[in-house]
Amino acid sequence: MIGVLLVDDEALTLELHRSYVERIPGFEVVAECAGARAALTAILESPQRERIDLVLLDMTMPDGSGTDVLRHLRARSADVDVIAITSVRDAHTVRQVIALGATHYLVKPFAFATFRERLEHYRAYREQTRSTTGSATQSEIDALLGARSPTSSALRLPKGLSAASLARVSDAVRERGPLSASEAGEALEMSRVAARRYLEHLADLGRVERSHRYGTRGRPETEYLWR
């Protein structure tokens, strides 16, 4: 499980983000903070610090900014990733946050599908970084940079595919796989053809691997297993 720290000075926003995280398999909220100082204490000093992998960080709080929090974390070499979640849109702040190593910058307000895309994307980046060891090849470096970028091909979907449905298919394969297109379609109440398009897209991205399933009769069926 990926442990998430929520940081926002608005109680309703914390509640909303908690409900969003709880809907995404593989993530869990391990702590919540309403200010910059409390966030630094949670990440650097609290007993829960070992469980925090990802911080969803507001940029404007009464006792400090998100960029202040990021500067302190980088100065202390804190081993956490950060996604900035804010209504601040000015280019100077965006450049600062990116320079300080935030994985994504998500502008409020946003739909759940957008939030889910970013967390799914972060999970892919995290898996890629942990699977790359020793001396990285150029292709592995390119994959790491691509997984970190919110404008990578993973978020540019082919025409006719939706991010929300792609996330549902991804979850189905991850939790129940290996699955054929027929099985995925039946489980998700979509057509076999539609399910196959999403599965093939995931295969093209390297998220799932194809293999043949041989039955007692007829041609072999393609099944998809989460990598």
Side-chain angles (χ1 to χ4, degrees):
M1 296 291 285
I2 296 173
V4 180
L5 169 66
L6 304 180
V7 183
D8 201 289
D9 63 324
E10 295 184 3
L12 289 177
T13 301
L14 285 174
E15 183 179 349
L16 176 65
H17 293 171
R18 184 193 321 120
S19 70
Y20 278 4
V21 171
E22 289 171 349
R23 293 167 62 184
I24 305 175
F27 292 84
E28 64 174 345
V29 175
V30 298
E32 300 177 16
C33 297
R37 292 191 184 93
L40 287 170
T41 299
I43 298 166
L44 300 173
E45 300 174 16
S46 76
Q48 297 166 314
R49 65 186 182 276
E50 297 298 329
R51 299 177 59 202
I52 299 172
D53 303 302
L54 174 65
V55 183
L56 303 186
L57 180 63
D58 190 17
M59 288 291 106
T60 55
M61 292 167 283
D63 63 341
S65 69
T67 52
D68 292 334
V69 173
L70 274 167
R71 287 192 188 95
H72 278 89
L73 294 180
R74 297 320 174 208
R76 295 282 294 273
S77 300
D79 186 20
V80 295
D81 294 311
V82 174
I83 294 179
I85 297 185
T86 179
S87 57
V88 177
R89 298 168 178 261
D90 71 273
H92 175 68
T93 300
V94 174
R95 284 194 294 268
Q96 280 188 313
V97 170
I98 292 172
L100 289 167
T103 304
H104 290 305
Y105 193 105
L106 188 54
V107 178
K108 302 175 185 176
F110 47 81
F112 172 68
T114 302
F115 181 87
R116 183 169 189 159
E117 276 184 345
R118 294 305 190 269
L119 262 66
E120 290 280 354
H121 208 216
Y122 166 74
R123 175 162 53 199
Y125 163 69
R126 181 181 170 86
E127 290 172 354
Q128 183 70 47
T129 59
R130 279 153 180 73
S131 65
T132 303
T133 59
S135 298
T137 65
Q138 183 65 57
S139 61
E140 287 173 330
I141 293 169
D142 292 341
L144 288 172
L145 292 173
R148 189 170 183 269
S149 169
T151 57
S152 78
S153 59
L155 294 181
R156 293 197 298 268
L157 296 178
K159 185 176 180 180
L161 301 188
S162 76
S165 294
L166 180 64
R168 290 179 63 220
V169 173
S170 298
D171 288 344
V173 179
R174 187 185 296 109
E175 296 169 8
R176 312 180 198 180
L179 292 177
S180 67
S182 298
E183 291 166 341
E186 182 178 353
L188 300 171
E189 297 183 344
M190 65 172 62
S191 71
R192 180 188 64 80
V193 173
R196 185 177 183 278
R197 287 196 65 199
Y198 285 102
L199 290 166
E200 284 296 312
H201 179 63
L202 288 170
D204 291 342
L205 291 175
R207 303 285 182 82
V208 302
E209 46 184 52
R210 307 177 185 92
S211 61
H212 291 306
R213 178 190 297 171
Y214 294 91
T216 56
R217 295 181 299 176
R219 293 182 299 177
E221 188 175 23
T222 301
E223 63 179 17
Y224 302 83
L225 178 65
W226 192 263
R227 286 182 176 272

